[in-house]
Amino acid sequence: MTVSTADDPIKLAEFEARLERGETIEPKDWMPEKYRKQLIRMMSQHAHSEIVGMLPEGNWITRAPSLRRKMVLLAKVQDEGGHGLYIYCGTETLGIDREELVEQLLTGKAKYSSIFNYPTLTWADIGVIGWLVDGAAIVNQTMLAKTSYGPYARAMIRICKEENFHKRQGYEICTVMAKGTPAQRAMVQDAVNRWWWPSLMMFGPSDGTSPNSAELLRWRVKRETNDALRQRFVNLTIPQAQAIGLTVPDPDLRYNAETENWEFGAIDWAEFQAVISGNGPCNRERMAARRKAHDDGAWVREAAEAHAAKQAARSREHAA
Amino acid sequence: MSSETQWPLWEVFTQEGDAAPHEHAGSVHAVDAEHAMQNARDVYARRGKVVSLWVVPTASITASSPGDAGPLFDPGSDKAYRHPQFYKSPRGVKIF
Ligand SMILES: [Fe+2]
Ligand SMILES: [Fe+2]
């Protein structure tokens, strides 16, 4: 890339007209540099979140309470790894290598979702993550399935199909615990109390203060505002909590019959800022675990390359 | 370092069910075709009804470019006689 001159105004107008007509932008199409940059930032953050998101749940695979729960959790965590790969490959269509993206994650240059910097203290956390965290992700990803960039939209459609199982298994764990012994009930309620507010923060800053929102909406990368998505999530989730006798830790929560919205209290944005800037409860632990996994996998990558080189040499010998 | 995680790119096509066409699913990085096949299975065929997989080195694909779309595809839309609606048949006659 050369000097960052302004985009050609005629091409920009054509591009915006295409978006206006609801057309999808494909990798080889002309696009403003800013659109490309915003997408690389957003998609790679999303891919990193899927990968780092494997850690809090992976923490419970060996301690799942039954073989059924262990199989389910393994499958879910494997799905999240797959989600990361779908989105990395989508991001590569914008002209950046996965290697560079991975390096940005490992060096701490790139961000990932704040939610994965919270600890999974009990088995109930696994239920609540599936229910609330995957639940919130589904609301966001359903919107992104209609994003203007084709490869991102297609990755989201694939992901949305898989997320429904994630949410269902989580809600099932919560349902069983909520109907269990007083200790189990208390454990799942405690997990909801800890994960509720961080789940609401997953949708990002409020529209007024979100630095990227306006441009992303104009270019139809995002189709709805953070606040609208957050409200949809709350409206979906409160009846689910009520159905199994759980509450959310918000004294200001009330139903507005006129707007048909569950109105909720103020979000602690100072906490959100602290967590995304590296000072959440588990940021250091997560990054250390990612780096260790990357380093520990080095011999596998080397072995795969050596094997491929040997195979290639052997088939050349055959041909000669 | 150059090959750390940046093995060659392969495009993956999945056939979801008997008689369905192979459709593009996404891509994987892999050292060779066999490895690409394994990665494609793990990434794109974890569930569902995939009955067949193709992996193709991305570098071997020749794609049309958006700038060519006009001259390449225009002739397709200005030949109305290639569509059945172009032809009239007597009222009441059942053609199909
Ligand atoms: Fe996911
Ligand atoms: Fe998920």
Side-chain angles (χ1 to χ4, degrees):
Chain A
M1 235 150 285
T2 49
V3 269
S4 63
T5 47
D7 289 306
D8 179 345
I10 296 170
K11 284 186 170 162
L12 183 63
E14 272 170 21
F15 173 81
E16 293 195 331
R18 288 192 61 195
L19 292 177
E20 197 59 44
R21 292 193 296 271
E23 290 179 23
T24 300
I25 306 303
E26 293 294 341
K28 289 177 136 192
D29 294 345
W30 185 90
M31 62 186 83
E33 261 325 291
K34 195 71 189 297
Y35 178 84
R36 184 188 303 276
K37 285 221 176 87
Q38 287 276 29
L39 272 169
I40 290 175
R41 182 190 58 81
M42 198 169 144
M43 291 174 72
S44 62
Q45 276 183 17
H46 193 162
H48 299 328
S49 302
E50 302 282 354
I51 299 296
V52 177
M54 297 165 84
L55 296 170
E57 288 180 295
N59 181 32
W60 278 90
I61 289 174
T62 56
R63 294 176 288 165
S66 69
L67 187 58
R68 179 179 186 268
R69 295 290 187 213
K70 186 183 292 212
M71 281 182 340
V72 169
L73 187 55
L74 268 171
K76 180 190 188 286
V77 171
Q78 192 192 18
D79 273 355
E80 305 301 3
H83 295 177
L85 294 177
Y86 303 159
I87 309 171
Y88 281 132
C89 94
T91 316
E92 286 194 301
T93 64
L94 291 158
I96 187 162
D97 287 343
R98 187 176 72 188
E99 179 172 44
E100 197 176 333
L101 299 173
V102 170
E103 196 174 294
Q104 287 174 357
L105 173 68
L106 297 179
T107 55
K109 206 181 137 202
K111 288 190 164 54
Y112 55 87
S113 178
S114 58
I115 194 81
F116 301 117
N117 290 313
Y118 291 87
T120 40
L121 302 179
T122 70
W123 171 252
D125 292 42
I126 300 308
V128 171
I129 287 180
W131 174 32
L132 298 183
V133 176
D134 289 82
I138 291 170
V139 169
N140 191 40
Q141 292 174 154
T142 305
M143 174 273 289
L144 289 173
K146 288 173 276 174
T147 186
S148 57
Y149 189 56
Y152 197 18
R154 290 190 284 273
M156 287 302 110
I157 290 167
R158 192 168 278 280
I159 286 176
C160 284
K161 285 186 192 158
E162 303 186 344
E163 289 290 358
N164 290 338
F165 134 61
H166 298 180
K167 179 171 177 178
R168 287 249 186 170
Q169 63 86 34
Y171 190 57
E172 186 190 85
I173 293 172
C174 294
T175 305
V176 169
M177 292 188 82
K179 279 195 292 202
T181 63
Q184 288 169 327
R185 247 200 69 78
M187 190 183 274
V188 70
Q189 182 61 59
D190 169 67
V192 173
N193 293 349
R194 285 181 288 108
W195 288 93
W196 175 252
W197 290 110
S199 299
L200 296 197
M201 293 175 197
M202 281 175 71
F203 296 94
S206 215
D207 299 328
T209 57
S210 173
N212 301 308
S213 262
E215 196 165 56
L216 292 173
L217 283 164
R218 191 161 60 91
W219 283 338
R220 302 194 183 209
V221 174
K222 285 184 148 198
R223 308 303 304 263
E224 284 174 275
T225 66
N226 296 351
D227 286 334
L229 295 169
R230 187 165 17 241
Q231 184 65 60
R232 177 170 312 141
F233 171 71
V234 173
N235 291 350
L236 272 170
T237 308
I238 297 303
Q240 292 162 359
Q242 289 174 331
I244 55 175
L246 296 174
T247 59
V248 300
D250 182 356
D252 296 325
L253 185 83
R254 58 181 51 84
Y255 187 67
N256 181 331
E258 217 166 278
T259 60
E260 299 184 341
N261 282 330
W262 282 95
E263 293 172 352
F264 49 94
I267 292 172
D268 181 0
W269 291 114
E271 175 180 325
F272 175 77
Q273 287 305 335
V275 177
I276 56 167
S277 50
N279 295 312
C282 299
N283 296 56
R284 281 167 201 85
E285 188 184 327
R286 299 286 182 248
M287 287 315 300
R290 269 320 306 155
R291 284 192 204 106
K292 182 175 185 305
H294 187 77
D295 294 344
D296 288 353
W299 73 269
V300 181
R301 297 191 291 273
E302 281 161 24
E305 281 192 358
H307 176 74
K310 204 181 265 180
Q311 293 291 107
R314 207 167 282 167
S315 66
R316 270 197 306 274
E317 254 167 51
H318 256 324
Chain B
M1 181 73 188
S2 70
S3 57
E4 263 276 271
T5 57
Q6 203 62 39
W7 297 321
L9 198 61
W10 302 71
E11 297 303 319
V12 179
F13 298 80
T14 56
Q15 185 185 26
E16 299 210 347
D18 199 34
H22 281 75
E23 281 183 3
H24 184 242
S27 56
V28 292
H29 288 275
V31 287
D32 59 18
E34 189 192 353
H35 186 208
M37 191 59 92
Q38 285 170 359
N39 286 353
R41 185 210 50 203
D42 289 347
V43 178
Y44 296 102
R46 280 194 304 286
R47 62 165 68 75
K49 29 192 187 325
V50 175
V51 295
S52 164
L53 275 175
W54 291 348
V55 291
V56 182
T58 305
S60 325
I61 292 179
T62 307
S64 63
S65 63
D68 298 340
L72 266 180
F73 306 122
D74 251 6
S77 54
D78 67 4
K79 292 183 175 62
Y81 53 87
R82 286 181 170 168
H83 297 277
Q85 300 89 313
F86 186 75
Y87 303 94
K88 290 185 182 69
S89 33
R91 198 182 292 265
V93 177
K94 205 167 169 235
I95 303 289
F96 297 106

